[in-house]
Amino acid sequence: MTSHVKLYGSKSERFEEIKAELTDQLGYEPSNPEVVGLLMAAYNPSMARSSVDLRRVS
């Protein structure tokens, strides 16, 4: 199954801000799907497979 999402305006800007903060935390630039996966894991911690602390993403 594949899902496609387009973000516009402030939602797109916020996504890029989160991605930049995750880049700083991870030490590399995550792919867009990885960013979404980390956000989903933060929403449902049982999905977490990373040591990234998304509470630090402001």
Side-chain angles (χ1 to χ4, degrees), residues 41-55:
Y43 180 76
N44 183 359
S46 67
M47 293 177 56
R49 286 184 260 161
S50 172
S51 62
V52 174
D53 183 1
L54 291 174
R55 292 171 295 183

PDB file of all heavy atoms in Angstrom, residues 41-55:
ATOM      1  N   ALA A  41       5.501   7.531  15.260  1.00  0.00           N
ATOM      2  CA  ALA A  41       5.976   6.855  16.463  1.00  0.00           C
ATOM      3  C   ALA A  41       5.765   7.729  17.691  1.00  0.00           C
ATOM      4  O   ALA A  41       5.445   7.222  18.764  1.00  0.00           O
ATOM      5  CB  ALA A  41       7.450   6.498  16.312  1.00  0.00           C
ATOM      6  N   ALA A  42       5.927   9.037  17.533  1.00  0.00           N
ATOM      7  CA  ALA A  42       5.701   9.951  18.650  1.00  0.00           C
ATOM      8  C   ALA A  42       4.223   9.982  19.021  1.00  0.00           C
ATOM      9  O   ALA A  42       3.869  10.112  20.190  1.00  0.00           O
ATOM     10  CB  ALA A  42       6.191  11.354  18.309  1.00  0.00           C
ATOM     11  N   TYR A  43       3.371   9.829  18.036  1.00  0.00           N
ATOM     12  CA  TYR A  43       1.934   9.790  18.277  1.00  0.00           C
ATOM     13  C   TYR A  43       1.543   8.491  18.967  1.00  0.00           C
ATOM     14  O   TYR A  43       0.688   8.463  19.836  1.00  0.00           O
ATOM     15  CB  TYR A  43       1.185   9.946  16.954  1.00  0.00           C
ATOM     16  CG  TYR A  43      -0.311   9.916  17.106  1.00  0.00           C
ATOM     17  CD1 TYR A  43      -0.996  11.017  17.603  1.00  0.00           C
ATOM     18  CD2 TYR A  43      -1.044   8.792  16.764  1.00  0.00           C
ATOM     19  CE1 TYR A  43      -2.371  10.998  17.761  1.00  0.00           C
ATOM     20  CE2 TYR A  43      -2.410   8.762  16.913  1.00  0.00           C
ATOM     21  CZ  TYR A  43      -3.076   9.858  17.408  1.00  0.00           C
ATOM     22  OH  TYR A  43      -4.428   9.828  17.568  1.00  0.00           O
ATOM     23  N   ASN A  44       2.192   7.403  18.592  1.00  0.00           N
ATOM     24  CA  ASN A  44       1.933   6.084  19.155  1.00  0.00           C
ATOM     25  C   ASN A  44       3.275   5.478  19.552  1.00  0.00           C
ATOM     26  O   ASN A  44       3.891   4.785  18.758  1.00  0.00           O
ATOM     27  CB  ASN A  44       1.222   5.201  18.140  1.00  0.00           C
ATOM     28  CG  ASN A  44       0.856   3.840  18.705  1.00  0.00           C
ATOM     29  OD1 ASN A  44       1.144   3.549  19.854  1.00  0.00           O
ATOM     30  ND2 ASN A  44       0.253   3.007  17.882  1.00  0.00           N
ATOM     31  N   PRO A  45       3.729   5.716  20.773  1.00  0.00           N
ATOM     32  CA  PRO A  45       5.065   5.274  21.195  1.00  0.00           C
ATOM     33  C   PRO A  45       5.344   3.783  21.024  1.00  0.00           C
ATOM     34  O   PRO A  45       6.489   3.395  20.910  1.00  0.00           O
ATOM     35  CB  PRO A  45       5.121   5.683  22.666  1.00  0.00           C
ATOM     36  CG  PRO A  45       4.142   6.800  22.790  1.00  0.00           C
ATOM     37  CD  PRO A  45       3.045   6.466  21.817  1.00  0.00           C
ATOM     38  N   SER A  46       4.329   2.951  20.966  1.00  0.00           N
ATOM     39  CA  SER A  46       4.584   1.526  20.776  1.00  0.00           C
ATOM     40  C   SER A  46       5.177   1.239  19.402  1.00  0.00           C
ATOM     41  O   SER A  46       5.754   0.183  19.179  1.00  0.00           O
ATOM     42  CB  SER A  46       3.301   0.713  20.971  1.00  0.00           C
ATOM     43  OG  SER A  46       2.375   1.002  19.949  1.00  0.00           O
ATOM     44  N   MET A  47       5.074   2.198  18.476  1.00  0.00           N
ATOM     45  CA  MET A  47       5.654   2.047  17.145  1.00  0.00           C
ATOM     46  C   MET A  47       7.119   2.472  17.112  1.00  0.00           C
ATOM     47  O   MET A  47       7.795   2.271  16.118  1.00  0.00           O
ATOM     48  CB  MET A  47       4.895   2.897  16.120  1.00  0.00           C
ATOM     49  CG  MET A  47       3.487   2.458  15.845  1.00  0.00           C
ATOM     50  SD  MET A  47       2.642   3.562  14.694  1.00  0.00           S
ATOM     51  CE  MET A  47       3.739   3.525  13.286  1.00  0.00           C
ATOM     52  N   ALA A  48       7.613   3.069  18.177  1.00  0.00           N
ATOM     53  CA  ALA A  48       8.947   3.668  18.193  1.00  0.00           C
ATOM     54  C   ALA A  48      10.022   2.620  17.927  1.00  0.00           C
ATOM     55  O   ALA A  48      10.059   1.578  18.540  1.00  0.00           O
ATOM     56  CB  ALA A  48       9.192   4.369  19.510  1.00  0.00           C
ATOM     57  N   ARG A  49      10.918   2.967  16.995  1.00  0.00           N
ATOM     58  CA  ARG A  49      12.087   2.140  16.713  1.00  0.00           C
ATOM     59  C   ARG A  49      13.343   2.996  16.747  1.00  0.00           C
ATOM     60  O   ARG A  49      14.366   2.608  16.264  1.00  0.00           O
ATOM     61  CB  ARG A  49      11.970   1.495  15.336  1.00  0.00           C
ATOM     62  CG  ARG A  49      10.966   0.374  15.305  1.00  0.00           C
ATOM     63  CD  ARG A  49      10.970  -0.287  13.975  1.00  0.00           C
ATOM     64  NE  ARG A  49       9.840   0.234  13.226  1.00  0.00           N
ATOM     65  CZ  ARG A  49       9.708   0.164  11.933  1.00  0.00           C
ATOM     66  NH1 ARG A  49      10.627  -0.379  11.212  1.00  0.00           N
ATOM     67  NH2 ARG A  49       8.659   0.666  11.343  1.00  0.00           N
ATOM     68  N   SER A  50      13.238   4.173  17.305  1.00  0.00           N
ATOM     69  CA  SER A  50      14.345   5.107  17.282  1.00  0.00           C
ATOM     70  C   SER A  50      14.578   5.690  18.666  1.00  0.00           C
ATOM     71  O   SER A  50      13.671   5.758  19.478  1.00  0.00           O
ATOM     72  CB  SER A  50      14.022   6.227  16.289  1.00  0.00           C
ATOM     73  OG  SER A  50      14.993   7.237  16.369  1.00  0.00           O
ATOM     74  N   SER A  51      15.794   6.141  18.891  1.00  0.00           N
ATOM     75  CA  SER A  51      16.108   6.780  20.160  1.00  0.00           C
ATOM     76  C   SER A  51      15.934   8.285  20.093  1.00  0.00           C
ATOM     77  O   SER A  51      16.293   8.998  21.010  1.00  0.00           O
ATOM     78  CB  SER A  51      17.546   6.448  20.554  1.00  0.00           C
ATOM     79  OG  SER A  51      18.436   6.960  19.582  1.00  0.00           O
ATOM     80  N   VAL A  52      15.379   8.795  18.991  1.00  0.00           N
ATOM     81  CA  VAL A  52      15.169  10.237  18.842  1.00  0.00           C
ATOM     82  C   VAL A  52      14.079  10.675  19.806  1.00  0.00           C
ATOM     83  O   VAL A  52      13.019  10.074  19.891  1.00  0.00           O
ATOM     84  CB  VAL A  52      14.772  10.588  17.388  1.00  0.00           C
ATOM     85  CG1 VAL A  52      14.425  12.052  17.269  1.00  0.00           C
ATOM     86  CG2 VAL A  52      15.882  10.208  16.441  1.00  0.00           C
ATOM     87  N   ASP A  53      14.360  11.733  20.540  1.00  0.00           N
ATOM     88  CA  ASP A  53      13.399  12.269  21.510  1.00  0.00           C
ATOM     89  C   ASP A  53      12.590  13.354  20.813  1.00  0.00           C
ATOM     90  O   ASP A  53      13.029  14.498  20.716  1.00  0.00           O
ATOM     91  CB  ASP A  53      14.132  12.826  22.719  1.00  0.00           C
ATOM     92  CG  ASP A  53      13.194  13.322  23.796  1.00  0.00           C
ATOM     93  OD1 ASP A  53      11.946  13.216  23.616  1.00  0.00           O
ATOM     94  OD2 ASP A  53      13.691  13.823  24.809  1.00  0.00           O
ATOM     95  N   LEU A  54      11.412  13.003  20.322  1.00  0.00           N
ATOM     96  CA  LEU A  54      10.598  13.963  19.585  1.00  0.00           C
ATOM     97  C   LEU A  54       9.985  15.020  20.498  1.00  0.00           C
ATOM     98  O   LEU A  54       9.483  16.022  20.031  1.00  0.00           O
ATOM     99  CB  LEU A  54       9.505  13.254  18.789  1.00  0.00           C
ATOM    100  CG  LEU A  54      10.034  12.433  17.621  1.00  0.00           C
ATOM    101  CD1 LEU A  54       8.904  11.646  16.984  1.00  0.00           C
ATOM    102  CD2 LEU A  54      10.706  13.312  16.592  1.00  0.00           C
ATOM    103  N   ARG A  55      10.071  14.815  21.811  1.00  0.00           N
ATOM    104  CA  ARG A  55       9.607  15.863  22.721  1.00  0.00           C
ATOM    105  C   ARG A  55      10.509  17.083  22.617  1.00  0.00           C
ATOM    106  O   ARG A  55      10.100  18.176  22.969  1.00  0.00           O
ATOM    107  CB  ARG A  55       9.585  15.346  24.155  1.00  0.00           C
ATOM    108  CG  ARG A  55       8.522  14.271  24.358  1.00  0.00           C
ATOM    109  CD  ARG A  55       8.653  13.640  25.694  1.00  0.00           C
ATOM    110  NE  ARG A  55       9.942  12.931  25.698  1.00  0.00           N
ATOM    111  CZ  ARG A  55      10.392  12.203  26.706  1.00  0.00           C
ATOM    112  NH1 ARG A  55       9.695  12.094  27.803  1.00  0.00           N
ATOM    113  NH2 ARG A  55      11.538  11.594  26.636  1.00  0.00           N
TER     114      ARG A  55
END
